[in-house]
Amino acid sequence: MRERLPLWLQDSCAVRPRAVAAVGVVLICAVGFAGQQYWSARPRALTVPAVVAPGALPAAATAPAAAPAQEAGAGAGGTAARIVVDVTGKVRDPGVRRLPAGSRVEDALAAAGGVRPGADTTGLNRARVLVDGEQVVVGAPAQPPPAGMAGGMGPASGAGFGLGPGSGPLSLGSATVAQLDGLPGVGPVLAQHIVDFRTARGGFRSVEDLRQVDGIGERRFADLRPLVRP
């Protein structure tokens, strides 16, 4: 039957190896594409992220948030953290200076341009802590105490505070923190305790009341007793 058909029809009906291979390649590609589509469309399990408690955050994560608050607090308290002192005498640029709280006499001198050459700084305690409102005098003789503070301490030569000749005992009822700071063994912290005690009790009835001030023991009281009065 085949031999009786025309040649062109015999060629169409013949199955050649090259045609079989081409059909096989097409089928393999089709199967592979279908498998890839099935694999990508399959259902997948989703992982829910764990909830982190606020207290479990690391310090590094909370530090940036806390930093602006600290900076804002520092800016708001910047005025309270400064003191104003008057630097006069033999300095290059005398005048009122605003310094950070806890500054010392040396810092005030540096803010005023430094001491002039040849100025006498004998007795000037450059390491003393400054208090707000005081005057630092460089190279000037001792000045008499201000009116209303008889028996108190005036600024000694070079702005040091202490008992000068003939000045008499210091009045506990009117002495400032700076004056109390000049007493032997009394620093700015203890001087503030004395003023706070005076404010809370309405004054000193006797020198013996110093024993009740926090920070004054028997030995320190014995040193201060001849230098003060109620």
Side-chain angles (χ1 to χ4, degrees), residues 6 26 30 42 48 94 104-105 113 137 147 173 191 200 202-203 210 212:
V26 172
R42 78 187 191 283
V48 180
R104 301 179 184 270
V105 173
V137 183
L210 272 179
Q212 304 177 35

Side-chain angles (χ1 to χ4, degrees), residues 24-202:
V25 170
V26 172
L27 290 177
I28 292 174
C29 292
V31 172
F33 179 76
Q36 188 272 337
Q37 292 295 322
Y38 173 78
W39 183 262
S40 61
R42 78 187 191 283
R44 297 181 181 181
L46 298 178
T47 303
V48 180
V51 179
V52 181
L57 291 176
T62 57
Q70 294 175 355
E71 292 177 1
T79 303
R82 301 184 72 84
I83 60 174
V84 180
V85 296
D86 181 17
V87 187
T88 185
K90 294 183 179 181
V91 291
R92 298 182 184 275
D93 186 18
V96 176
R97 297 290 181 269
R98 289 170 174 80
L99 303 172
S103 298
R104 301 179 184 270
V105 173
E106 179 67 18
D107 300 323
L109 298 179
V115 179
R116 292 181 180 177
D120 182 14
T121 58
T122 303
L124 181 63
N125 184 5
R126 294 174 181 250
R128 181 175 57 80
V129 178
L130 296 168
V131 296
D132 185 48
E134 76 167 274
Q135 184 182 56
V136 178
V137 183
V138 180
Q143 301 294 329
M149 295 187 63
M153 294 186 301
S157 176
F161 290 92
L163 288 175
S167 60
L170 176 64
S171 174
L172 295 173
S174 60
T176 64
V177 173
Q179 293 172 332
L180 293 169
D181 186 14
L183 292 172
V186 178
V189 175
L190 183 55
Q192 187 62 51
H193 286 172
I194 296 175
V195 173
D196 294 342
F197 178 87
R198 180 180 66 196
T199 303
R201 300 297 181 91

